[in-house]
Amino acid sequence: AQKVTQAQTEISVVEKEDVTLDCVYETRDTTYYLFWYKQPPSGELVFLIRRNSFDEQNEISGRYSWNFQKSTSSFNFTITASQVVDSAVYFCALSEPFESNYQLIWGAGTKLIIKP
Amino acid sequence: GAVVSQHPSWVICKSGTSVKIECRSLDFQATTMFWYRQFPKQSLMLMATSNEGSKATYEQGVEKDKFLINHASLTLSTLTVTSAHPEDSSFYICSAAETLQETQYFGPGTRLLVL
């Protein structure tokens, strides 16, 4: 069974629209960490956010916001007023201290296309 | 902060040659570094985890004699692809973390093409 599921393979929106990328995870650890990384066409992975399992507060950083809900094992990522520069593949990842010794378990990624 | 460099960014080589890729943490000390491989349109596949001063831990299915990893200092890890073959052509990415539990920061990646 997949431990990190990003069900949306590709999303295409027009610039200035809001878009939400879904991430559902599975773990038996009570302590764990969730991440989002952005991979633009250049290939470099850019760290966006890390959230630990004990902190369910939503976070906002500029046009980016994250909704962490333990009840549904989800850690969704919303981009408000999208821009062409947001076009990239976005990966959600899980890190578990006991189940996987902190290795990052990756989702399949969601390719986001922002059309001008 | 948390900048990781990787060199070279592109390498083309002939089959049978060895290629060395360097990964450096520029503004922090990385006890742990990771090497990944990424195929087109796929997620990252962990190849090995290296801790400074000790032998790397390879993932199942990764040939340790083919992919030599050295983590000689807190800021440098190297991956050597020995006797490269066309099937080794891929995008190789390293990441570095202050400790195993900390956030991994990634280098820009190295595209390897073996002819």
Side-chain angles (χ1 to χ4, degrees):
Chain A
Q2 275 185 306
K3 291 198 125 183
V4 179
T5 302
Q6 293 181 257
Q8 304 147 309
T9 305
E10 183 173 307
I11 300 174
S12 181
V13 300
V14 177
E15 201 173 20
K16 296 183 185 172
E17 286 185 18
D18 299 347
V19 58
T20 295
L21 310 181
D22 297 333
C23 175
V24 174
Y25 62 93
E26 179 187 325
T27 180
R28 290 183 292 186
D29 278 353
T30 53
T31 300
Y32 54 89
Y33 303 90
L34 294 163
F35 301 81
W36 277 95
Y37 286 88
K38 172 182 180 180
Q39 188 175 38
S42 62
E44 180 171 2
L45 276 143
V46 178
F47 166 72
L48 296 178
I49 189 169
R50 166 185 164 125
R51 175 66 65 191
N52 77 56
S53 53
F54 298 108
D55 182 2
E56 277 195 83
Q57 268 195 323
N58 291 330
E59 178 143 346
I60 298 174
S61 176
R63 296 183 297 106
Y64 295 172
S65 62
W66 290 269
N67 185 335
F68 177 29
Q69 294 202 340
K70 287 176 78 168
S71 60
T72 55
S73 296
S74 65
F75 186 44
N76 297 338
F77 172 34
T78 297
I79 301 175
T80 304
S82 61
Q83 299 176 1
V84 173
V85 293
D86 296 326
S87 297
V89 178
Y90 291 85
F91 290 98
C92 179
L94 166 70
S95 172
E96 307 160 299
F98 299 111
E99 288 273 314
S100 57
N101 196 28
Y102 293 101
Q103 285 181 13
L104 286 175
I105 300 166
W106 298 89
T110 297
K111 182 175 183 179
L112 178 62
I113 300 168
I114 309 296
K115 298 177 189 172
Chain B
V3 179
V4 177
S5 71
Q6 203 171 327
H7 179 79
S9 54
W10 262 103
V11 59
I12 301 173
C13 68
K14 292 182 180 178
S15 188
T17 60
S18 293
V19 175
K20 181 186 277 190
I21 303 170
E22 290 189 351
C23 177
R24 293 181 186 272
S25 55
L26 298 184
D27 53 359
F28 66 101
Q29 293 190 323
T31 303
T32 308
M33 288 187 170
F34 304 82
W35 287 95
Y36 294 86
R37 187 171 177 176
Q38 187 179 32
F39 293 101
K41 297 182 191 270
Q42 292 190 24
S43 188
L44 281 77
M45 182 188 79
L46 179 66
M47 298 174 66
T49 303
S50 73
N51 290 296
E52 185 265 339
S54 59
K55 288 184 179 180
T57 302
Y58 290 81
E59 294 301 299
Q60 197 170 13
V62 178
E63 298 175 60
K64 58 181 70 175
D65 293 332
K66 176 148 191 78
F67 298 100
L68 300 178
I69 291 170
N70 184 286
H71 190 166
S73 78
L74 286 171
T75 59
L76 173 65
S77 176
T78 59
L79 167 68
T80 302
V81 184
T82 61
S83 187
H85 290 286
E87 58 265 31
D88 299 323
S89 298
S90 193
F91 187 51
Y92 292 88
I93 314 175
C94 73
S95 70
E98 287 187 344
T99 66
L100 184 62
Q101 298 89 329
E102 296 299 319
T103 297
Q104 292 182 35
Y105 295 94
F106 287 80
T110 297
R111 296 190 189 278
L112 170 64
L113 178 60
V114 185
L115 301 176

